Amino acid sequence: MQYRRCQTLFLEPRETPGFRLQDLLAGGTGLHYEQRVVAMAPHLDGPVPITPDDAALLLACSAETWQPLPTSAEARARVMRLVAEGVLVSDSADHAVHAAADTTLRASHWWSVAALFHRLSRWTGVDSVEEMERSQMVTAQDLVRKLGNPPAEAPPRLPGAVALPPLGDRFLDGLLLRRTTCRNFDTSRPLPLALLAGMLGEVLLASAHVEPEPGVRFLKKNVASAGGLHPIEAYVLVQNVEGLEPGLHHYHAVAHELARLPVQPPALPAFAHRLLAGQSWFADAHALVILVCRFERNFWKYRNHAKAYRAVTLDAGHISQAFYTQATAYGLGAFVTAAINEEEVEQVLGLDPMREGPLAVCGFGWRSEQMRTPEMDPAGHTWKTGP
Ligand SMILES: Cc1cc2nc3c(=O)[nH]c(=O)nc-3n(C[C@H](O)[C@H](O)[C@H](O)COP(=O)(O)O)c2cc1C
């Protein structure tokens, strides 16, 4: 068996505060800091606690040259432990999963820091609502009690500023004044298929393309995209749409068609709830759109690029705003959230997280007539009388 270091590795010293009674009794503060080192790598799902000796071995080990196992029993045991954790990779079939993940990453053109950020910021099994309640961070009063006041809502006004003319005719007759994040859907009324088609088509459909070189196609859509690459695919969880069987579908942005996926999550409402990290106010929207980025498409041009990940998240933001705008025009409610359990989606869709991954979930449908969960409509443009 031979081994080498995984290609991308970060070592982080961490200090955790603790309390020692003996220290307090001896006249000290009782407070002490435990120091440790964690290794983090974008082909692994979580940090690996290591010792300073492990760190020294990792720093000395080549990520390119394979080497045989050391002869000393102690060094060999250390290497085998680090191989089992995945921070060293081996050519043995026993450790093929970590080695394959490392190989995928080597071929992927991620900027290393973004790769780590993406990998470790994914959630699984998180119930954000339960966590907010447990930490008593639900209301504005809770936040102020725990965090104090936030920075001011706008920076100070600058001297010499020129007052701009008041708004005259509003854009699209003030359409966007009626855009309010919807947390109250009317589940009694299915969404007509034509409205779902309109939402997906207006936001995501390619209206034209250019092909400057054979096999190099740039799509033209109503939303902007970094480099014209449009790397984001829409997986639609149909929940309550006329004429469509509920379930996960893929929207094809060139063909303007929805394909029901052969593999489906077992219980759709429970999947939607987990997907949205327990946010029940979003989970019953008529359609949920999971924005899945094909990183390779963007990284084809923006190789190992420090701005590439930022650009694809901005792409997702443009799509979400276009959904908001189109939904408002149709008289529907919409939302976007990044508080999602990405790993649940990856498992159902069979995605390698470093090649394709969900960045956000949008949703839309008919608004309920009753506001059970608060929405932000202080001027009453959406709810007429205000919340
Ligand atoms: C990137 C992003 C993430 C958001 N995530 C959540 C979320 O997880 N849960 C939620 O209830 N609202 C979420 N929202 C909606 C915001 O809370 C909402 O935009 C804000 O309260 C202002 O309300 P408005 O959209 O009606 O103007 C998100 C909005 C954005 C742009």
Side-chain angles (χ1 to χ4, degrees):
M1 182 186 127
Q2 293 195 305
Y3 73 97
R4 65 182 179 181
R5 183 169 52 69
C6 65
Q7 189 191 44
T8 309
L9 184 72
F10 294 83
L11 302 184
E12 185 187 4
R14 290 186 181 172
E15 281 184 312
T16 329
F19 177 72
R20 278 196 193 124
L21 182 62
Q22 275 173 336
D23 178 65
L24 186 71
L25 295 176
T29 60
L31 191 64
H32 78 105
Y33 289 92
E34 191 195 327
Q35 292 194 315
R36 61 201 177 97
V37 183
V38 294
M40 295 177 289
H43 70 294
L44 301 176
D45 278 328
V48 177
I50 58 167
T51 66
D53 287 341
D54 294 340
L57 185 150
L58 289 168
L59 291 174
C61 185
S62 170
E64 303 302 331
T65 313
W66 293 96
Q67 51 185 307
L69 287 177
T71 44
S72 108
E74 192 193 338
R76 202 181 174 94
R78 185 183 306 284
V79 167
M80 290 309 292
R81 188 164 42 75
L82 295 174
V83 166
E85 296 281 13
V87 285
L88 294 178
V89 287
S90 91
D91 58 1
S92 147
D94 293 346
H95 309 114
V97 173
H98 287 146
D102 179 51
T103 304
T104 301
L105 196 71
R106 284 171 190 256
S108 70
H109 307 300
W110 275 91
W111 186 52
S112 59
V113 182
L116 189 72
F117 169 49
H118 174 68
R119 183 84 188 209
L120 295 192
S121 61
R122 290 148 57 249
W123 283 356
T124 181
V126 172
D127 188 320
S128 59
V129 180
E130 209 176 84
E131 279 189 10
M132 269 171 14
E133 284 166 359
R134 197 175 41 238
S135 55
Q136 297 180 336
M137 300 273 266
V138 178
T139 65
Q141 289 75 20
D142 291 341
L143 295 177
V144 170
R145 200 177 57 247
K146 297 229 167 182
L147 311 175
N149 278 8
E153 71 286 359
R157 294 170 69 178
L158 296 177
V162 176
L164 294 173
L167 297 185
D169 288 345
R170 299 297 300 259
F171 169 67
L172 294 178
D173 211 12
L175 171 80
L176 289 179
L177 287 173
R178 301 196 298 281
R179 184 211 56 82
T180 296
T181 294
C182 182
R183 298 192 182 87
N184 299 275
F185 289 97
D186 179 357
T187 52
S188 69
R189 192 153 63 121
L191 187 70
L193 183 58
L195 286 191
L196 177 68
M199 288 292 292
L200 295 172
E202 290 291 350
V203 175
L204 295 167
L205 180 63
S207 55
H209 74 267
V210 286
E211 191 165 2
E213 290 290 324
V216 181
R217 287 191 169 198
F218 297 103
L219 301 175
K220 179 70 187 171
K221 299 190 181 184
N222 289 354
V223 287
S225 170
L229 290 161
H230 292 285
I232 293 183
E233 294 297 309
Y235 287 87
V236 185
L237 184 65
V238 170
Q239 303 210 97
N240 192 3
V241 179
E242 264 168 19
L244 279 183
E245 191 183 347
L248 260 181
H249 295 67
H250 175 254
Y251 174 69
H252 197 289
V254 176
H256 188 49
E257 62 190 21
L258 268 183
R260 195 164 193 280
L261 301 182
V263 179
Q264 293 287 325
L268 290 186
F271 174 72
H273 195 260
R274 285 199 311 276
L275 168 67
L276 294 160
Q279 299 187 84
S280 51
W281 49 86
F282 289 156
D284 57 5
H286 299 67
L288 301 173
V289 183
I290 308 167
L291 301 181
V292 172
C293 184
R294 291 190 295 146
F295 298 112
E296 292 164 317
R297 169 96 178 150
N298 179 283
F299 299 172
W300 166 75
K301 179 175 179 187
Y302 299 111
R303 291 191 174 206
N304 309 95
H305 199 298
K307 306 294 177 185
Y309 190 69
R310 191 186 301 186
V312 297
T313 57
L314 285 168
D315 272 19
H318 282 71
I319 292 171
S320 98
Q321 176 61 38
F323 273 132
Y324 268 117
T325 306
Q326 190 58 47
T328 311
Y330 281 156
L332 303 173
F335 72 84
V336 62
T337 178
I340 58 172
N341 280 306
E342 292 87 347
E343 291 188 33
E344 311 262 346
V345 181
E346 291 161 2
Q347 274 156 24
V348 172
L349 298 180
L351 306 178
D352 180 315
M354 301 315 287
R355 300 181 69 194
E356 294 177 80
L359 296 178
V361 172
C362 300
F364 47 82
W366 295 120
R367 285 183 163 282
S368 171
E369 290 193 348
Q370 288 197 333
M371 197 193 291
R372 300 171 306 275
T373 304
E375 295 186 12
M376 170 105 174
D377 182 30
H381 289 296
T382 302
W383 288 89
K384 305 290 184 281
T385 53

